[in-house]
Amino acid sequence: MSTTGVTARVTVKSPDQMQELGRRLAPLLRPGDLVLLTGELGAGKTTLTRGLGEALGVRGAVTSPTFVIARVHPSLTGGPALVHVDAYRLDGGLDEMEDLDLDVSLPESVVVVEWGDGKVEELSEDRLHVVIGRAVGGDAPGGPAGHPEEDVDDVREVTVTGLGARWADAGLPELEIC
């Protein structure tokens, strides 16, 4: 499997900015793309996916599929469908994921998998891996100095890595969010 990767990093200061990051990533995606989202509970994985869905022009509200495992959002604009998977409750790795038939959906859809590390990488050598981490320390990047009331709980450091030949060729743009 290829480990070639291109990486972009961005600081996200609010849920609105996380959704905007999803809207900025969406034009880079095409049918057959696999996106893995990694981050603790409440990090913003579903919020980012909501932005992806909005920009891809899909039907239905993008909400966490935790209890249904997967939701398919068909395109309203002739683009790819968004398949949103939450693998948090799945322990069986790719064997359990095969029951979802993601390999069937992947060629014509954009498949986004929350909690997919170690479970779905075998679906595609080419994938986008988004890691969302909380900013650490009292001085959140970009936070206004001297304003202790600033809510640093919403500040996230997001690393987007494109793995495989597809992303080496496409590259990643500057992802600064204003």
Side-chain angles (χ1 to χ4, degrees), residues 37 45-47 49-50 61-73 82-90 100 112-115:
L37 301 180
K45 298 177 295 294
T46 299
T47 301
T49 306
R50 191 172 298 120
V62 175
T63 59
S64 178
T66 299
F67 297 104
V68 295
I69 310 300
R71 282 196 173 95
V72 177
H73 298 274
L82 173 67
V83 178
H84 185 198
V85 179
D86 186 330
Y88 183 75
R89 300 168 67 117
L90 302 179
L100 298 175
V112 177
V113 183
E114 298 185 26
W115 305 98

Side-chain angles (χ1 to χ4, degrees), residues 88-177:
Y88 183 75
R89 300 168 67 117
L90 302 179
D91 296 326
L94 193 58
D95 291 339
E96 201 169 358
M97 295 299 284
E98 284 178 356
D99 291 340
L100 298 175
D101 289 330
L102 293 180
D103 54 337
V104 174
S105 300
L106 190 57
E108 70 273 358
S109 304
V110 170
V111 176
V112 177
V113 183
E114 298 185 26
W115 305 98
D117 288 349
K119 297 176 183 174
V120 297
E121 289 88 345
E122 293 177 34
L123 287 173
S124 178
E125 285 189 19
D126 300 317
R127 59 191 176 275
L128 196 63
H129 191 176
V130 180
V131 178
I132 305 169
R134 291 190 190 276
V136 293
D139 291 328
H147 293 280
E149 70 277 0
E150 177 71 14
D151 188 2
V152 296
D153 287 342
D154 286 340
V155 178
R156 305 287 191 262
E157 295 297 330
V158 182
T159 303
V160 180
T161 303
L163 298 166
R166 184 259 193 267
W167 292 103
D169 295 340
L172 291 172
E174 190 64 35
L175 296 174
E176 191 62 34
I177 304 294

